[in-house]
Amino acid sequence: MSAPLPNEGTVAERIRVVRNHLAPAELAVAKVILENYPTGGLVPIVQLATAAEVSAPTVLRLVSKLGFDGYGAFHETLRAEIHQRIFSPVDAYPDSKRQPAAETPAARAQAAYVDCIRSTFSHLDVKELKAAVSALADVARPVVVMGGRISAILATQLATYLSMLRKDVTHIASDGTERISALVDLKPRTVVVLFDFRHYQQSTLDWGLEAAKRRAHLILVTDQFLSPLASHATTLLTSSTKGLEPFDSMAGGFVLTELLISEVARALGSPARKRLGEFLALQQADEQGSPG
């Protein structure tokens, strides 16, 4: 099978598309780029080659496989990503005067969110998804879920539904003392799901680094620009944040989270189905005021 030739997306997304088709020396270059992403690639070609312990032509072969015409185009994309990383909703605030009269709000939204979901799934690594599902479906392993200030909504969704399907699922807030107690209890077999989206909350980054040091299985769900935690993750899943101005969209994150939930339910099978039925029966009884 010939290697795919990506022609869109961030450099990180392009690397993930082609990485299973790269030679070992090319993989070494990709690793150097991702270890300090996105600035890791913004160095002279000889410096990048030296850091990866390969030749300059190897670097150029990788750049070509990523869909760039040359090292200059590669650098141009990385610089644009750095600018996007420091994006502010104020700078992207919608201007009603610039909206085409013939374009309806619904049409703009449809185009934006279709593109968001398409981009999310086109850059989804099947092996990473399978690894995440396998870890989350192992009921012998406790699960801890946490998000940042905005992505906390995704963490809440995942933890809520996982707890209906399996035991030992803990959702913790991104601030407060429970973050510390959760770290104390982390073991190497603990599965941690961390949501970290631009602008990458420092407290979330610090917590994730400590979880990695404690050898927990770290499933990182991040955006197309990659959280600084990406190089420390055991499993890495990304979603697009393309949407309507002025804020980043969580639509891609929601569809990816719902995919995770569905695949975990499929992997757990009949025991989870039985647990879900019991959960819903108790929930209904509780809502009717007659627990048990």
Side-chain angles (χ1 to χ4, degrees):
M1 180 183 296
S2 60
L5 186 64
N7 56 12
E8 63 173 7
T10 64
V11 170
E13 287 175 319
R14 295 180 187 218
I15 288 174
R16 296 187 68 200
V17 169
V18 303
R19 67 178 181 175
N20 292 329
H21 301 272
L22 298 177
E26 294 164 348
L27 277 172
V29 180
K31 182 178 179 181
V32 170
I33 294 170
L34 293 177
E35 279 178 347
N36 191 25
Y37 188 79
T39 58
L42 281 176
V43 295
I45 190 169
V46 174
Q47 185 176 335
L48 181 55
T50 301
E53 299 182 346
V54 301
S55 65
T58 297
V59 176
L60 290 176
R61 283 197 299 271
L62 172 65
V63 167
S64 177
K65 288 184 178 181
L66 295 180
F68 296 107
D69 292 334
Y71 204 60
F74 167 70
H75 271 189
E76 184 178 343
T77 297
L78 286 176
R79 291 192 187 95
E81 287 185 39
I82 291 173
H83 176 74
Q84 289 173 316
R85 272 179 174 244
I86 59 175
F87 143 95
S88 167
V90 175
D91 298 330
Y93 206 86
D95 185 349
S96 59
K97 296 180 181 179
R98 296 182 181 178
Q99 181 177 333
E103 186 179 45
T104 67
R108 285 194 304 112
Q110 180 179 349
Y113 293 121
V114 166
D115 186 34
C116 172
I117 293 173
R118 180 197 59 78
S119 181
T120 295
F121 286 123
S122 66
H123 294 104
L124 182 62
D125 189 308
V126 175
K127 289 184 178 180
E128 297 286 318
L129 177 63
K130 287 182 177 179
V133 170
S134 177
L136 292 172
D138 186 347
V139 295
R141 306 176 70 175
V143 174
V144 176
V145 185
M146 189 175 84
R149 293 186 185 90
I150 303 301
S151 58
I153 190 170
L154 300 176
T156 299
Q157 183 193 34
L158 179 64
T160 298
Y161 286 117
L162 280 185
S163 65
M164 296 181 188
L165 299 171
R166 53 155 294 168
K167 63 179 182 178
D168 293 336
V169 177
T170 304
H171 177 219
I172 61 174
S174 61
D175 50 19
T177 57
E178 64 178 359
R179 292 190 309 115
I180 307 302
S181 60
L183 277 177
V184 171
D185 294 333
L186 287 186
K187 300 294 186 292
R189 285 187 57 79
T190 303
V191 179
V192 171
V193 185
L194 202 57
F195 292 86
D196 190 33
F197 286 68
R198 187 173 63 173
H199 295 278
Y200 315 119
Q201 187 174 331
Q202 189 60 48
S203 60
T204 303
L205 297 175
D206 293 341
W207 196 94
L209 285 172
E210 185 61 33
K213 288 180 183 177
R214 291 172 179 263
R215 295 184 296 155
H217 183 122
L218 178 58
I219 299 174
L220 176 66
V221 185
T222 185
D223 55 33
Q224 67 270 32
F225 304 112
L226 291 192
S227 159
L229 281 172
S231 61
H232 301 277
T234 313
T235 305
L236 178 64
L237 299 172
T238 61
S239 68
S240 172
T241 55
K242 299 173 183 177
L244 300 178
E245 306 89 348
F247 302 108
D248 279 346
S249 173
M250 290 289 103
F254 272 113
V255 296
L256 179 56
T257 300
E258 291 185 6
L259 173 61
L260 268 177
I261 294 166
S262 178
E263 288 303 300
V264 170
R266 190 186 308 277
L268 289 171
S270 57
R273 188 174 186 272
K274 180 180 178 181
R275 176 184 174 89
L276 179 59
E278 184 176 355
F279 179 94
L280 293 176
L282 288 171
Q283 183 182 58
Q284 184 177 19
D286 182 64
E287 290 173 353
Q288 293 174 349
S290 54

